[in-house]
Amino acid sequence: MSSVGPLDSIIVGHDNMRASGGSAAVVRVFVADAHDLTRAGLCGLLAAQPGFVVVGEASDGAEAINLIARLRPDVVVLDASLPGLDSIEATRQLRRTAPATAVVLMSSDCDADRLMSALRAGALGYVLKAVAGPELLAVIQRAAAGEHAIEATLATRLLERMANDQTSHPRGPEPLTGRELEILDLISAGRSNQEIASVLIVAVGTVKVHVEHILAKLGVSGRTEAAVRGVELGILHRRSDHEPERDRP
């Protein structure tokens, strides 16, 4: 299994787009794009849709990082060619400084390498700048829900890249971060997302995102499989039946 998650959960096409008015929750969006006209167009599109509100905008990477850390939007639509900071590094920084904010990268080309790098850095969505409005809204909605979402045009490139990686460049699973290892250990102890959030003093939504990344990186589909895989890889201590768990909060 690929490190970016099940394909049926990340591909967004015209057949499975959700209407923007289908949810009562309002998605708070931040738009970061170097081009004034493009940024204004995106903000106008979102402002005209029920269920979306633009909480801020920026024209360069450093400004975007600072504002997002303060505004805490649900989703940031990030120009892949944003000046001031590489978009992949910006995504990594945002996962650290604003983990509850989902990142959707917007690119002018179908660069499969950049797409894979973005997903590995923690981006949940990826679209082309020529994307149709309804499809962009669907990607943003899915990212806000903590789901991976890739524009249909890019899905084919991702499939091709994944196939080439599996046949020509086999490799082990992507390493887990320190926080992901902490959460995997708590998963192995049978803790729920709510309990993990209480232990680590973070939002439940943040834990959910980390769990999804753990499952994707380990190439498994469930929490039990993740714990077993962690033991197999030597990154998780095997618990005996008589070993006490940590005190529950």
Side-chain angles (χ1 to χ4, degrees):
M1 184 180 293
S2 164
S3 63
V4 297
L7 286 179
D8 58 358
S9 70
I10 62 177
I11 298 173
V12 173
H14 295 288
D15 293 335
N16 65 349
M17 290 187 294
R18 289 185 274 181
S20 61
S23 172
V26 174
V27 180
R28 302 172 67 254
V29 185
F30 187 97
V31 178
D33 195 288
H35 304 285
D36 292 343
L37 290 178
T38 301
R39 194 171 66 255
L42 288 172
C43 290
L45 170 67
L46 292 164
Q49 302 299 318
F52 294 88
V53 60
V54 177
V55 297
E57 58 182 277
S59 58
D60 69 74
E63 179 186 17
I65 294 293
N66 291 333
L67 287 175
I68 291 166
R70 178 165 57 86
L71 297 172
R72 303 287 177 170
D74 299 313
V75 179
V76 52
V77 178
L78 184 68
D79 181 3
S81 301
L82 200 63
L85 184 64
D86 176 76
S87 60
I88 304 302
E89 179 56 31
T91 299
R92 293 193 186 99
Q93 287 194 27
L94 288 172
R95 300 310 303 140
R96 293 192 298 268
T97 61
T101 297
V103 178
V104 173
L105 284 180
M106 178 173 280
S107 176
S108 59
D109 57 53
C110 297
D111 187 333
D113 288 337
R114 178 168 287 275
L115 169 57
M116 291 293 290
S117 295
L119 294 174
R120 291 186 182 117
L124 288 184
Y126 205 106
V127 298
L128 290 174
K129 287 197 172 183
V131 65
E135 192 165 3
L136 173 61
L137 297 176
V139 168
I140 293 173
Q141 282 185 317
R142 292 194 65 169
E147 303 172 11
H148 284 93
I150 300 174
E151 182 192 349
T153 305
L154 292 164
T156 299
R157 296 296 181 94
L158 178 61
L159 284 166
E160 293 172 349
R161 171 59 188 272
M162 288 166 59
N164 289 336
D165 281 352
Q166 290 173 356
T167 57
S168 304
H169 307 286
R171 62 189 177 207
E174 182 180 353
L176 301 186
T177 65
R179 178 45 60 91
E180 288 168 349
L181 286 171
E182 285 183 284
I183 292 176
L184 180 59
D185 182 60
L186 291 168
I187 287 174
S188 74
R191 301 296 184 88
S192 67
N193 285 354
Q194 181 66 57
E195 290 173 328
I196 294 173
S198 297
V199 171
L200 300 180
I201 316 177
V202 297
V204 175
T206 300
V207 174
K208 180 181 176 182
V209 171
H210 281 305
V211 171
E212 289 180 351
H213 290 169
I214 290 168
L215 299 183
K217 287 182 176 182
L218 296 181
V220 297
S221 59
R223 299 163 77 92
T224 300
E225 289 181 81
V228 172
R229 183 65 173 146
V231 172
E232 291 174 347
L233 293 171
I235 60 175
L236 185 65
H237 174 60
R238 185 185 298 275
R239 296 175 182 275
S240 70
D241 294 337
H242 305 291
E243 182 179 354
E245 291 185 9
R246 308 178 188 187
D247 292 335
R248 290 181 178 272

